[in-house]
């Protein structure tokens, strides 16, 4: 892991992507302070300013819509910053939850072996057999729209990837004598799993985390685009894109292009960075 | 009295057949099931405080036997008794205590330490987890353990990658001793080390043994190492115990032809001329062991009886047992005991 991070110094583009990603995250976190308008506050949003092109001044004065406004009169730049916040919160929460569940399942599976391993891994195989978006769509269709359900859907769709990776990494470690020694010392099973297996299996899991984070952002956007994600009052990036796409034939292209660009940048930077770590950790490719 | 007693221990490894193999077997097309008898009816007792050497060529089942004794691997047959009581019949609580009292030191010091844990964590983990020491006494306990195995106190915060092979093996020994075991199984504990480091570790083991407190099994393929350290020596060949006696008896009056061949092959200081003819042929495949006495294809004295009948382990003198049908005359005087 340390070597992988060191090797990033020789990959300026991956470093640039990491910086850009961190910039996006910081911008999303600071949205309430740097956004010119609170897009959730109906007292501030002026419906008469709807669908204004980029650079238009606000009807009531006071600010300029540098990226234009959407169909509800919201400042698009502010809506993108707030949308990023929602998208990133959902994706990060879901990824971390999926990681915890998936890694635990994978480690237990590898450690216990036998029928426990068989049951967990067949479940994983079944889930991996369906496209991720289909699994997420099914959950959303059953549970209904909303941020909580969105996270649930992403966790269900993504934990199998962590479980598979954690299991294969742990199987390599279980063959080592230090696990045998820990068993010989009669340490409790949970202790062997958490203190011996987990720290030594974590590197490949971190790679899966970066790649799955990008994937989670994309799925969240897809679900919101299909109307199964966040609510219209508090749109995520995906919903902004969906709304923008309805305006495209009216010539209001900015409502689609700018949220789309933000999403593309987010996914692209995470992917480039994650792929670089993956290659750094794989000696055959580095 | 005996602390650990292995009775008729047997361990068979079978190829794990998949569903396809099983289905094919049913219609008579599958691969033949293969069984490897790694340990074949071995009975041993370990007395309080003694060091029992277990010697054999690679593949003779000595490590398997050690892992069964340490309860890391279940036996296919036979009983392991802890202070007279079969561990398998104990209440879970007692069985855990018994297993904890049997510790193991592994061959490869590069694989036997958790790379993510420091020396201090490695040594202190089990005694703290089992409540053998209190957390506030742990610094003193650690210092005591490091001193016991001859490690400098400033190594406590190092991780395994920053230690030499010998230092790692000392950490492995300290880890085992930290739970105050009554039996320690050294599985080829010096085989992976440089010769000079080997000698240091062996001297450490002799010192630890002199301090008393534990009985041990010392598994090795190297007769000279075992000779240096053991009180009694057991010789294994293809999963079977062929001879067992105290150290000096083995070296002075080996009974079994296999033991004699091993002794003849072991390099000696001062032996200027040496004929290298003692052991002919390769070790037979354990998947398809010879009939009768496993040693007969390589034995210069083999007869039809050896080819057909498995020799029983029989008493040939005070505590000296050997699995040979014949009492072969001592050919050449062996070198003096160590």
């Amino acid at each position: 892991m340390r070597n992988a991070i060191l090797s990033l110094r020789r990959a300026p583009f991956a470093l640039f992507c990491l910086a850009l990603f961190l910039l996006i995250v910081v911008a999303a976190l600071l949205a309430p302070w740097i956004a010119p308008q609170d897009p959730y506050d109906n007292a501030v949003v002026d419906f008469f300013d709807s669908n204004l092109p980029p650079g238009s001044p606000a009807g009531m004065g006071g600010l300029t819509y540098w990226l234009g406004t959407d169909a509800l009169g919201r400042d698009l730049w502010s809506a993108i910053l707030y949308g990023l916040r929602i998208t990133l919160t959902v994706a990060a929460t879901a990824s971390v939850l999926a990681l915890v569940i998936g890694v635990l399942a994978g480690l237990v599976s590898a450690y216990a072996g036998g029928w426990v391993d068989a049951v967990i891994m067949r479940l994983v195989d079944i889930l991996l057999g369906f496209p991720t978006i289909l699994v997420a769509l099914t959950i959303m269709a059953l549970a209904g729209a909303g941020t909580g359900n969105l996270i649930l859907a992403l966790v269900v769709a993504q934990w199998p990837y962590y479980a598979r990776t954690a299991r294969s990494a742990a199987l390599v470690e279980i063959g080592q004598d230090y696990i045998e020694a820990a068993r010989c010392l009669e340490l409790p099973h949970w202790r062997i799993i958490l203190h011996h297996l987990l720290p030594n299996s974590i590197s490949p899991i971190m790679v899966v985390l970066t790649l799955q984070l990008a994937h989670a952002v994309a799925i969240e956007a897809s679900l919101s685009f299909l109307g199964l994600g966040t609510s219209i009052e508090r749109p995520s990036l995906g919903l902004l894109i969906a709304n923008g796409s309805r305006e495209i034939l009216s010539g209001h292209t900015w409502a689609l292009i700018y949220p789309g660009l933000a999403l593309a940048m987010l996914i692209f930077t995470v992917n480039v960075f994650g792929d670089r770590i993956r290659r750094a950790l794989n000696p055959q490719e580095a | 009295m005996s602390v650990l007693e292995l009775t008729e221990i047997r361990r068979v490894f079978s190829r794990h057949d998949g569903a396809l193999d099983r289905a094919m077997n049913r219609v008579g097309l599958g691969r033949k099931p293969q069984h490897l008898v790694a340990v074949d009816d071995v009975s041993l007792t370990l007395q309080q405080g003694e060091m029992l050497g277990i010697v054999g060529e690679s593949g003779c089942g000595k490590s398997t036997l050690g892992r069964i004794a340490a309860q890391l691997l279940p036996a296919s047959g036979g009983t392991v008794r802890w202070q007279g009581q079969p561990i398998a019949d104990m209440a879970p609580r007692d069985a855990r205590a018994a297993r904890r009292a049997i510790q193991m030191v592994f061959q490869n010091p590069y694989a036997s330490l958790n790379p993510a844990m420091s020396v201090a964590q490695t040594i202190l983990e089990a005694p703290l987890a089992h409540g053998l020491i209190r957390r506030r006494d742990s610094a003193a306990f650690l210092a005591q353990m490091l001193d016991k195995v001859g490690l400098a106190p400033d190594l406590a915060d190092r991780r395994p990658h920053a230690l030499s092979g010998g230092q790692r093996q000392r950490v492995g020994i300290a880890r085992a001793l930290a739970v105050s075991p009554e039996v320690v199984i050294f599985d080829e504990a010096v085989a992976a080390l440089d010769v000079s480091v080997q000698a240091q570790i062996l001297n450490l083991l002799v010192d630890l043994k002199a301090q008393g407190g534990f009985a041990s099994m010392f598994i090795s393929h190297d007769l000279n190492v075992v000779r240096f350290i053991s009180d009694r020596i057991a010789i294994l060949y293809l999963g079977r115990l062929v001879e067992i006696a105290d150290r000096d008896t083995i070296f002075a009056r080996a009974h079994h032809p296999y033991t004699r061949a091993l002794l003849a092959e072991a390099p000696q200081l001062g032996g200027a001329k040496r004929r290298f003819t003692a052991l002919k042929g390769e070790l037979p495949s354990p998947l398809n062991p010879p009939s009768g006495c496993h040693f007969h294809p390589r034995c210069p004295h083999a007869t039809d009886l050896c080819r057909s009948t498995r020799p029983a382990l029989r008493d040939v003198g005070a505590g000296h047992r050997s699995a040979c049908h014949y009492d072969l005359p001592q050919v050449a005087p062996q070198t003096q005991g160590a």
Side-chain angles (χ1 to χ4, degrees):
Chain A
M1 199 70 198
R2 182 177 304 169
N3 289 339
I5 290 163
L6 285 179
S7 84
L8 280 176
R9 287 198 301 211
R10 284 183 273 114
F13 186 62
L15 266 189
F16 169 74
C17 283
L18 176 65
L20 204 55
F21 170 68
L22 291 178
L23 192 70
I24 295 173
V25 171
V26 169
L29 285 176
L30 297 179
W33 292 277
I34 59 174
Q37 186 192 61
D38 180 356
Y40 301 159
D41 187 350
N42 286 331
V44 177
V45 175
D46 188 349
F47 188 70
F48 293 109
D49 284 350
S50 63
N51 291 327
L52 290 178
S56 308
M60 305 285 284
L63 81 158
T64 308
Y65 300 127
W66 289 112
L67 299 183
T69 59
D70 69 2
L72 297 175
R74 287 185 289 225
D75 173 36
L76 207 51
W77 167 237
S78 306
I80 288 174
L81 287 176
Y82 275 81
L84 267 174
R85 231 162 113 88
I86 294 177
T87 296
L88 277 174
T89 311
V90 167
T93 313
S95 294
V96 170
L97 279 178
L99 178 132
V100 171
I101 295 171
V103 166
L104 273 183
L107 294 181
V108 167
S109 190
Y111 183 74
W115 65 268
V116 177
D117 187 26
V119 168
I120 295 180
M121 279 305 124
R122 287 308 79 74
L123 184 62
V124 164
D125 286 344
I126 290 168
L127 283 171
L128 288 180
F130 296 103
T132 320
I133 184 75
L134 186 62
V135 175
L137 256 176
T138 312
I139 305 277
M140 291 308 284
L142 290 174
T147 313
N149 290 339
L150 199 52
I151 292 175
L152 175 76
L154 287 172
V155 170
V156 171
Q158 293 205 314
W159 75 268
Y161 292 91
Y162 295 99
R164 263 251 168 269
T165 313
R167 176 175 178 272
S168 59
L171 279 180
V172 175
E173 298 302 320
I174 282 174
Q176 306 270 349
D177 282 344
Y178 70 87
I179 299 292
E180 194 100 291
R183 289 208 295 133
C184 196
L185 289 163
E186 285 297 305
L187 296 173
H189 297 310
W190 63 265
R191 196 181 184 95
I192 299 180
I193 290 175
L194 294 184
H195 288 220
H196 294 265
L197 276 183
L198 180 62
N200 293 300
S201 320
I202 200 77
S203 315
I205 295 167
M206 295 324 285
V207 176
V208 175
L209 175 66
T210 55
L211 298 178
Q212 289 299 99
L213 188 66
H215 206 181
V217 169
I219 297 174
E220 187 280 324
S222 311
L223 290 173
S224 294
F225 183 87
L226 295 168
L228 287 166
T230 51
S231 63
I232 190 81
E233 298 88 44
R234 289 167 173 267
S236 69
L237 272 186
L239 195 54
L240 283 177
I241 294 170
N243 293 339
S245 71
R246 278 181 215 111
E247 298 295 324
I248 194 105
L249 290 177
S250 320
H252 310 143
T253 48
W254 57 88
L256 174 63
I257 288 173
Y258 295 117
L261 263 180
L263 182 71
M265 241 165 67
L266 179 59
I267 295 177
F268 181 75
T269 54
V270 178
N271 260 332
V272 168
F273 175 67
D275 195 55
R276 184 67 223 180
I277 299 189
R278 183 180 62 76
R279 276 164 47 192
L281 284 175
N282 184 349
Q284 272 124 39
E285 276 191 65
Chain B
M1 97 171 212
S2 71
V3 266
L4 187 66
E5 190 181 347
L6 309 178
T7 320
E8 290 172 7
I9 293 294
R10 197 176 160 78
R11 173 71 208 196
V12 182
F13 291 105
S14 300
R15 192 187 57 215
H16 188 75
D17 279 350
L20 183 66
D21 280 308
R22 267 176 272 148
M24 294 289 273
N25 264 330
R26 201 152 300 167
V27 293
L29 291 171
R31 302 180 289 179
K32 253 193 264 172
Q34 285 191 319
H35 301 289
L36 187 152
V37 183
V39 178
D40 193 356
D41 288 336
V42 172
S43 300
L44 284 174
T45 54
L46 195 59
Q47 309 294 329
Q48 199 105 50
E50 79 166 337
M51 194 172 260
L52 172 67
I54 295 188
V55 183
E57 288 168 274
S58 55
C60 74
K62 53 193 191 301
S63 286
T64 307
L65 187 66
R67 287 169 37 117
I68 289 171
Q71 300 288 299
L72 287 171
L73 193 70
S76 315
T79 12
V80 181
R81 283 194 180 77
W82 175 250
Q83 293 175 336
Q85 215 193 339
I87 295 183
D89 298 350
M90 288 182 179
R93 207 190 151 82
D94 298 336
R96 270 214 302 280
R99 288 199 297 265
R100 205 175 73 205
I102 309 171
Q103 285 305 313
M104 193 146 175
V105 174
F106 295 86
Q107 168 172 11
N108 182 352
Y110 290 85
S112 65
L113 298 181
N114 184 341
M117 284 168 84
S118 70
V119 171
Q121 287 170 321
T122 301
I123 296 174
L124 291 174
E125 184 184 24
L128 283 174
H130 292 305
L132 302 177
I133 57 169
R134 283 172 299 184
R135 195 160 281 280
R136 61 190 156 93
D137 301 332
S138 57
F141 180 78
L142 178 67
Q144 186 197 332
M145 291 313 297
L146 289 176
D147 180 58
K148 200 167 182 176
V149 297
L151 282 172
D154 59 341
L155 295 178
D157 294 323
R158 296 239 190 127
R159 276 166 209 271
H161 67 84
L163 298 174
S164 70
Q167 287 170 332
R168 288 176 196 218
Q169 200 58 303
R170 285 172 198 267
V171 176
I173 294 169
R175 171 179 61 188
L177 295 183
V179 293
S180 319
E182 289 173 64
V183 170
V184 183
I185 293 161
F186 297 93
D187 183 7
E188 296 274 17
V190 297
L193 304 173
D194 293 344
V195 175
S196 60
V197 183
Q198 245 183 41
Q200 292 168 14
I201 298 289
L202 286 174
N203 282 326
L204 170 68
L205 294 184
V206 169
D207 292 346
L208 290 172
K209 186 183 145 199
Q211 289 168 27
F214 62 88
S216 50
M217 268 163 80
F218 192 90
I219 298 167
S220 177
H221 63 276
D222 188 340
L223 255 181
N224 285 331
V225 166
V226 171
R227 174 183 212 167
F228 180 71
I229 206 163
S230 310
D231 302 309
R232 277 197 307 150
I233 296 175
I235 315 277
L236 289 187
Y237 186 74
L238 280 181
R240 291 181 183 169
L241 184 60
V242 296
E243 184 161 10
I244 180 166
D246 58 70
R247 188 223 1 227
D248 295 339
T249 310
I250 287 277
F251 281 91
R253 296 191 304 278
H255 183 271
H256 198 281
Y258 177 63
T259 313
R260 292 185 188 174
L262 276 185
L263 289 170
E265 285 200 349
Q268 307 279 352
L269 277 180
K273 276 187 202 162
R274 201 156 63 88
R275 283 187 307 147
F276 204 79
T277 52
L279 211 49
K280 58 175 180 179
E282 288 285 308
L283 187 72
S285 162
L287 278 171
N288 186 19
S291 59
C293 173
H294 280 349
F295 188 56
H296 82 252
R298 300 168 85 184
C299 181
H301 315 287
T303 62
D304 283 341
L305 178 65
C306 302
R307 283 182 267 276
S308 62
T309 314
R310 172 178 179 176
L313 196 66
R314 63 195 174 94
D315 219 319
V316 293
H320 183 181
R321 289 183 300 152
S322 166
C324 183
H325 290 301
Y326 301 103
D327 290 312
L328 298 163
Q330 294 289 341
V331 202
Q334 302 293 328
T335 44
Q336 300 302 303

